[in-house]
Amino acid sequence: MHSLWVFLALNVVLTVSGTVLVNAAGTVLVRPQIRVTTTFSNFEARIMDHWGGGGGNEFFRISDSKHPFEGRRFGGAKRKEIRGTRAFGSGYPYGASNQSTIAGRPFPFGVWPLYWDQNFMNSSEYGPQYDAIRPGGLIVYAPLRTTQEHFNVTENEVYYAIGDRDSLLLIMISYVTWCHVTPAWPSKFDPTSPNSTIKLENVIQYFRASSFALSSPAYSNAFARISYSDTKDSTPLPETMEHSPFRKCVDEVTENALAIVNKPPGPKLAGILLIVFLSTWPFALGALGWTLFGTFYILRATRRWLWSGPFEYLSQLQYRLSYMMRYKLDARNQEMEARRQKMEAIKETRRQELAYEWYP
């Protein structure tokens, strides 16, 4: 039953999510996504990811003069910043300097906040008049129930999730998978109706810059109608609700799985390489030419040396050896001539001495 519901829900979400695969057990194999168009001037869009991490440049702005919120900052919030409090207007990582009103604020997670009756905190700025272009679709709600087979709950323990249609459809899959929630299709939510099932006072937790909420008819917050700037107090949850494993499971899944806008996609590697090549190709071509020329010159010189180098070396060696031999031979001859002359001088001296002895 759960697998069939997940399959049907994913087919509905396919209109905004792209390709999603589900195996026979109903497990989502590809993370679903929501496309958020921010301008019609060039159809620029961002992707909201189920279980995504968010982040990126927080100063991305809606740039379309025909958009009702043209010029607002958009995106940049991270998954760890998704949790608010029980006070409407909480959960903004930036852009909430005036805490007495929610009007004029940016969209850090990519979606608009909820709106409540009596134009509470000027929330009618995001009212039903803009449901046709609200990121994720119009505001809906769905009951979250389980059975005692999985949790120790009472028959009256039921919570309601409130948010845009696509976000609620996507996270319902995670509620069913992780918290064994009984599958339920969402219904249109009209917070201004006196017969509305959920009132502002019933909200037990806001998420994603007050654009998504968990609520319970069994809870009533006496401080809910006081603006966030005037009080941070709230009525404590009933004891059974505070310690309910089922409520904690739903709360944790919402915090970790609720769709938020991704950071802008970076340029692909092929594009980066193409840009680098187009901007540097003259220098690269010149460097390549010089490299080829140098390589050719070195190879040519090496070839010449291999063919003629050894012979030149042997010739030079022979010349040096012959020169050394001639030098040594000349030195030997000079030494012999000096000895001969010395002997002749000695002999001449001796003859003169003998002649003097005989003929005094």
Side-chain angles (χ1 to χ4, degrees):
M1 173 63 182
H2 287 189
S3 299
L4 177 60
W5 190 93
V6 169
F7 178 78
L8 293 174
L10 284 172
N11 275 288
V12 173
V13 176
L14 279 178
T15 58
V16 292
S17 314
T19 302
V20 180
L21 302 179
V22 182
N23 63 12
T27 304
V28 179
L29 303 180
V30 177
R31 187 165 56 196
Q33 297 176 330
I34 301 172
R35 180 183 175 88
V36 179
T37 301
T38 58
T39 175
F40 279 155
S41 59
N42 58 1
F43 294 97
E44 191 170 15
R46 294 278 289 277
I47 299 300
M48 291 179 61
D49 242 339
H50 189 56
W51 295 91
N57 185 2
E58 68 181 36
F59 296 103
F60 180 91
R61 296 174 183 271
I62 296 176
S63 53
D64 188 333
S65 59
K66 294 182 175 58
H67 197 284
F69 305 122
E70 190 270 337
R72 301 279 181 97
R73 286 187 292 175
F74 181 93
K78 299 177 182 179
R79 169 68 60 181
K80 64 182 181 181
E81 299 169 317
I82 197 173
R83 193 174 187 85
T85 65
R86 297 188 190 111
F88 183 59
S90 63
Y92 278 79
Y94 66 87
S97 56
N98 184 359
Q99 297 182 349
S100 64
T101 177
I102 204 168
R105 292 190 184 183
F107 311 122
F109 293 97
V111 289
W112 310 346
L114 302 173
Y115 62 92
W116 292 103
D117 59 326
Q118 302 176 21
N119 192 23
F120 180 64
M121 289 183 65
N122 303 113
S123 60
S124 61
E125 178 178 88
Y126 313 100
Q129 69 274 20
Y130 295 131
D131 276 352
I133 60 172
R134 175 181 283 271
L138 75 167
I139 297 178
V140 296
Y141 73 104
L144 306 178
R145 295 184 176 91
T146 189
T147 62
Q148 291 187 346
E149 179 183 355
H150 301 100
F151 291 97
N152 184 21
V153 294
T154 63
E155 294 182 1
N156 297 326
E157 187 170 353
V158 57
Y159 303 97
Y160 288 86
I162 311 168
D164 61 274
R165 179 199 60 219
D166 296 334
S167 294
L168 188 49
L169 276 173
L170 290 182
I171 202 167
M172 180 61 76
I173 300 168
S174 298
Y175 288 151
V176 172
T177 304
W178 297 97
C179 300
H180 307 285
V181 167
T182 303
W185 291 102
S187 303
K188 182 179 179 180
F189 180 61
D190 182 8
T192 63
S193 172
N195 300 322
S196 176
T197 305
I198 302 300
K199 306 293 184 182
L200 174 64
E201 291 81 4
N202 301 140
V203 173
I204 62 177
Q205 183 67 51
Y206 284 101
F207 298 90
R208 204 178 59 179
S210 296
S211 65
F212 196 91
L214 293 178
S215 61
S216 171
Y219 172 74
S220 181
N221 184 6
F223 300 88
R225 295 282 173 181
I226 303 175
S227 69
Y228 189 58
S229 62
D230 296 329
T231 182
K232 305 296 187 296
D233 295 331
S234 63
T235 301
L237 295 177
E239 193 74 14
T240 55
M241 190 181 299
E242 176 69 30
H243 301 289
S244 169
F246 176 55
R247 184 198 63 80
K248 291 180 180 179
C249 179
V250 170
D251 183 272
E252 291 174 1
V253 168
T254 305
E255 183 175 356
N256 290 283
L258 187 60
I260 59 176
V261 71
N262 279 338
K263 58 185 177 182
K268 295 184 178 179
L269 179 60
I272 296 176
L273 294 178
L274 180 61
I275 293 173
V276 171
F277 174 77
L278 292 177
S279 59
T280 61
W281 72 267
F283 305 100
L285 190 61
L288 179 61
W290 278 106
T291 301
L292 293 176
F293 175 77
T295 303
F296 174 76
Y297 181 83
I298 293 173
L299 291 177
R300 185 179 178 185
T302 304
R303 179 178 177 274
R304 285 182 177 180
W305 185 86
L306 290 176
W307 282 102
S308 61
F311 299 104
E312 292 182 2
Y313 176 75
L314 291 176
S315 177
Q316 292 179 4
L317 180 61
Q318 181 182 6
Y319 172 78
R320 290 177 181 177
L321 289 175
S322 63
Y323 175 79
M324 292 175 63
M325 290 177 67
R326 284 197 304 269
Y327 175 79
K328 289 185 178 181
L329 183 61
D330 290 344
R332 182 66 175 169
N333 290 338
Q334 291 177 3
E335 183 181 357
M336 293 297 292
E337 181 64 22
R339 288 182 180 182
R340 188 187 65 78
Q341 291 179 1
K342 185 177 181 180
M343 290 299 295
E344 288 293 335
I346 294 174
K347 288 179 181 180
E348 181 64 26
T349 303
R350 185 60 178 164
R351 274 197 304 269
Q352 291 178 2
E353 289 178 354
L354 290 174
Y356 179 75
E357 290 178 0
W358 287 100
Y359 306 101

